[in-house]
Amino acid sequence: MSRYRRARVPGGTYFFTVVTERRQPILTRTDVRQALREAIVLVRETLPFRIDGWVLLPDHLHALWTLPEGDADFSTRWRLIKRHVTRTCGPVYTRPDHLTERRAAKHCGTLWQHRFWEHLIRDERDFRQHLDYLHGNPLKHGLVERVADWPWSSFHRWARQGVYPTDWAGVGNDGLVAEG
């Protein structure tokens, strides 16, 4: 079995995908959203990071973060965020049918997949492609007809700043950006 090695660049910008266990569609529920918001605020008090982009979908989320100079520890941040959400909401969303021996032995909940996926952003073009991808994700998954209609996205902030037109179409299934 190969060992996955994460790219760790202090002060780097990273794109993340974090998924619920077995794709449970619970992340857009009010209690989970609130717990996630609280977790981010709490973690940023001691381990700061900038959220450059964000989209929350029912069963996964995408985020673009920039870490402080000299700091490459995104794993601890995600571990603390996921743990807070699990402790806050886990009892409501515990799924005994998802509790494997491994999860039980590690005292894990059944809300999140164990890991997350990350990509180190290489340059401005890479940043923009990933920002477009995350903002277009609700459209890609058929959750809305217009990117602007999805409430749990940093698209609205970027549109207010003039980076996107409010009628921006998003990313098509072919991966190409369709301009608004």
Side-chain angles (χ1 to χ4, degrees), residues 82-97:
K82 289 166 74 173
R83 181 172 69 186
H84 178 85
V85 174
T86 296
R87 287 184 176 170
T88 303
C89 299
V92 174
Y93 297 104
T94 297
R95 296 282 309 266
D97 55 321

Side-chain angles (χ1 to χ4, degrees), residues 1-4 115:
M1 181 169 108
S2 65
R3 291 191 52 121
Y4 177 74
R115 299 180 187 235

Side-chain angles (χ1 to χ4, degrees), residues 90-145:
V92 174
Y93 297 104
T94 297
R95 296 282 309 266
D97 55 321
H98 294 181
L99 195 59
T100 62
E101 279 186 39
R102 179 176 179 231
R103 283 185 173 276
K106 295 178 92 178
H107 304 287
C108 293
T110 58
L111 204 144
W112 300 105
Q113 282 186 4
H114 280 292
R115 299 180 187 235
F116 56 86
W117 185 84
E118 98 284 338
H119 165 77
L120 174 65
I121 300 297
R122 297 178 302 269
D123 54 30
E124 284 299 318
R125 182 173 182 269
D126 195 27
F127 178 89
R128 183 58 190 250
Q129 286 177 332
H130 282 83
L131 191 67
D132 288 350
Y133 177 80
L134 74 82
H135 288 144
N137 220 243
L139 185 67
K140 175 187 168 199
H141 288 287
L143 298 170
V144 291
E145 291 183 22

Side-chain angles (χ1 to χ4, degrees), residues 5-112:
R5 296 179 67 157
R6 296 192 183 277
R8 297 190 188 276
V9 174
T13 299
Y14 298 87
F15 174 84
F16 300 99
T17 300
V18 182
V19 183
T20 60
E21 177 65 15
R22 300 190 193 183
R23 293 279 185 170
Q24 298 169 84
I26 59 175
L27 294 181
T28 54
R29 294 182 182 173
T30 303
D31 57 340
V32 178
R33 287 193 336 265
Q34 182 60 37
L36 191 55
R37 185 177 296 114
E38 289 169 4
I40 291 166
V41 168
L42 289 169
V43 170
R44 288 170 85 182
E45 287 175 1
T46 57
L47 297 168
F49 60 94
R50 184 178 72 227
I51 298 173
D52 299 306
W54 187 275
V55 67
L56 185 65
L57 296 120
D59 63 355
H60 69 287
L61 65 87
H62 297 292
L64 267 167
W65 290 358
T66 299
L67 299 180
E69 284 298 318
D71 187 344
D73 190 5
F74 50 79
S75 292
T76 296
R77 288 167 171 86
W78 277 118
R79 179 177 50 80
L80 294 171
I81 289 167
K82 289 166 74 173
R83 181 172 69 186
H84 178 85
V85 174
T86 296
R87 287 184 176 170
T88 303
C89 299
V92 174
Y93 297 104
T94 297
R95 296 282 309 266
D97 55 321
H98 294 181
L99 195 59
T100 62
E101 279 186 39
R102 179 176 179 231
R103 283 185 173 276
K106 295 178 92 178
H107 304 287
C108 293
T110 58
L111 204 144
W112 300 105

Side-chain angles (χ1 to χ4, degrees), residues 51-54 64 127-128 131 134-135 153-165:
I51 298 173
D52 299 306
W54 187 275
L64 267 167
F127 178 89
R128 183 58 190 250
L131 191 67
L134 74 82
H135 288 144
S153 170
S154 58
F155 172 79
H156 307 285
R157 174 174 43 113
W158 285 91
R160 281 192 305 275
Q161 295 171 1
V163 174
Y164 291 102

